[in-house]
Amino acid sequence: MREQGGYNASRALLISGFVTDIDRTCVGDFKVPTDPAGTKSLFLSIHYYTPYTFCGLDTVESWGSPKTTWGTDAEKAELKGLFDRLGAFSAERSIPVILGEFAVTPGEKYPREPASRRLWMQSVVEAARSRGIVPVLWDTGSEIKRTDGSFSTEWQAVMDAVDP
């Protein structure tokens, strides 16, 4: 990549974690590549959809059923634990993290409770930012109105709640 000319010699590069998953990436086998541009040009890219039964599942499957709410103490503890692990991994490997995707769908067959959606999104933003991780909220197809660029009610509430 670096030898292709132009700005490629110094541009920032995203290095995907294993399956872009926190648990699968924050392991001893994950190695940050050596970069001729130096360590300041590499970023670890992670996605976050945990628990998927709440964030994206909209049909009953053999491995789980859709959940319409989120926010129990155990669920909050799981989020905190995963982000603690990711933050420590980032510090150990000296590589900053971009949370390149995170979202929770509104759900069609199993509509998600709006308050739970807001709480989950805000909790992820706060967990990421408190650990120096850049969060990128992912539009699942219904969060941004294509005619005027306005956000869904849940997205707007999250944007209003987090500090700039």
Side-chain angles (χ1 to χ4, degrees), residues 19-99:
V19 197
T20 64
D21 180 78
I22 294 173
D23 268 337
R24 294 181 180 170
T25 299
C26 296
V27 296
D29 288 341
F30 185 86
K31 305 290 185 228
V32 176
T34 303
D35 185 6
T39 58
K40 300 294 184 194
S41 295
L42 295 179
F43 297 84
L44 178 60
S45 177
I46 296 292
H47 297 173
Y48 190 73
Y49 295 98
T50 301
Y52 190 73
T53 51
F54 175 68
C55 294
L57 188 63
D58 209 33
T59 58
V60 175
E61 300 294 338
S62 61
W63 52 269
S65 296
K67 292 185 61 182
T68 59
T69 61
W70 182 88
T72 66
D73 288 345
E75 290 164 338
K76 291 175 185 176
E78 177 184 37
L79 184 146
K80 181 187 180 307
L82 286 168
F83 277 84
D84 284 348
R85 185 172 178 193
L86 181 58
F89 187 81
S90 169
E92 288 167 6
R93 299 293 198 286
S94 298
I95 187 168
V97 177
I98 293 179
L99 188 61

Side-chain angles (χ1 to χ4, degrees), residues 131-146:
R131 292 161 180 84
I133 297 167
V134 177
V136 179
L137 194 52
W138 191 258
D139 180 12
T140 59
S142 60
E143 306 294 357
I144 300 173
K145 194 179 215 180
R146 301 305 186 237

